[in-house]
Amino acid sequence: MKRYLIGLAALLGVAASPALAQDYPTKPITMIVPFAAGGPTDIIARIVSEHMSRVLGQQIIVENVAGAGGTTGVARAAGAAPDGYTIVMGHMGTHGAAPALYPNLKYNPATDFAPVGLAAGTPILIVARKTHPAKDLKEFIDWAKKAGDKANNAFAGVGSVSHSTGILFNSTIGTKPTMIPYTGTGPALNDMVSGQVDYMTDQIVNVVSQIQGGNIKAFAIALPERSPALPDVPTTKELGLDYQVSAWNAIFAPKGTSPAIVAKLSDALDKALDDANTKKRLAELGGVIPDKAGRTPAALQKLVEDEVARWTPILKAAAANEKK
Ligand code: ASP
């Protein structure tokens, strides 16, 4: 009966009744990660969901649904029942960049979701295999220009963070490498550690330990300020390169999810981000923990709208440059 009621509520496009929202959650919640396991979206999802599930009193099961730069998993979440039992860890790619790069994107990042909240800011780094001949960013840019399509740039599929920030980087420095797609930057990083791909631009949480361990090279962080997690890595600003980008990961529920359920999820996220252990784990990996005002559903809605507007012209220009 309960099932029928939820189904009916979804069908009518109205929120589940307050009584049902009050009981929520009564069973495990699935958090879709739209990339392969082991990458930054997966890492952030696992760190944050651990404390969230403690607050909610139910398990949060991470399900990796990779494909099409994260848009496959996010489309699945958009089409899931809006009952709070399927949520998704999206990011700047799936909810900011994808509309510019997919003419037939199956969801609208700004209107097909009930935003829950921002989980972490993730600065972007320019990293390369440790056997790379360049010793700094300038040498790397010279190498990339000379190598042309012999250079390999790993990325996590069209519209992903590594793709959008990668094509922007390549158009900024004026080079056209061969782009090597992966189902996430976790597997891309493994191939970089074993020396099979040359470079990528990726979210800090994925690369910090491999940089610290000397398994890959970091040429620059694309921020005006250095990261406390990697104090020795220079900024693009210091190095005089006009390339400053940062990404983020955030949790979304399908549109139509009851505001009471969204509030419970958002409160659990807020508590997770205040938890000392969660904070420590994210900070060690270079994740930037949003302040209270930046964690609300309303702040995330605005972020998505701003990011789509900001990225669309930049990425259309960078994609056109790739095709020239
Ligand atoms: N950082 C990846 C991206 O390029 C995705 C991932 O594996 O989390 O979008």
Side-chain angles (χ1 to χ4, degrees), residues 129-258:
R129 61 182 159 86
K130 83 168 182 215
T131 51
H132 197 281
K135 69 172 185 317
D136 56 26
L137 185 67
K138 193 186 163 301
E139 283 188 14
F140 176 75
I141 294 173
D142 291 344
W143 171 89
K145 283 180 159 164
K146 264 192 220 119
D149 64 4
K150 289 196 182 62
N152 291 328
N153 180 353
F155 74 113
V158 171
S160 62
V161 165
S162 45
H163 181 241
S164 42
T165 58
I167 61 173
L168 183 61
F169 176 67
N170 295 330
S171 77
T172 304
I173 67 168
T175 185
K176 282 186 204 137
T178 299
M179 302 294 289
I180 312 284
Y182 288 86
T183 52
T185 47
L189 183 66
N190 290 342
D191 274 7
M192 183 170 293
V193 168
S194 63
Q196 294 176 57
V197 284
D198 292 319
Y199 74 102
M200 70 176 170
T201 51
D202 196 27
Q203 298 173 265
I204 191 164
V205 293
N206 195 33
V207 291
V208 161
S209 0
Q210 299 291 11
I211 294 168
Q212 285 165 344
N215 300 321
I216 56 171
K217 284 186 178 181
F219 291 129
I221 184 165
L223 280 185
E225 310 267 309
R226 291 190 182 205
S227 164
L230 291 169
D232 298 337
V233 176
T235 68
T236 44
K237 186 167 180 210
E238 282 168 52
L239 300 171
L241 181 70
D242 184 18
Y243 174 73
Q244 270 157 44
V245 278
S246 197
W248 44 268
N249 280 87
I251 301 173
F252 298 84
K255 172 172 101 179
T257 304
S258 126

Side-chain angles (χ1 to χ4, degrees), residues 71-72 74-76 78-79 102-108 112:
T71 62
T72 304
V74 172
R76 184 178 304 176
Y102 287 92
N104 299 312
L105 190 62
K106 290 200 184 70
Y107 57 88
N108 181 324
D112 285 339

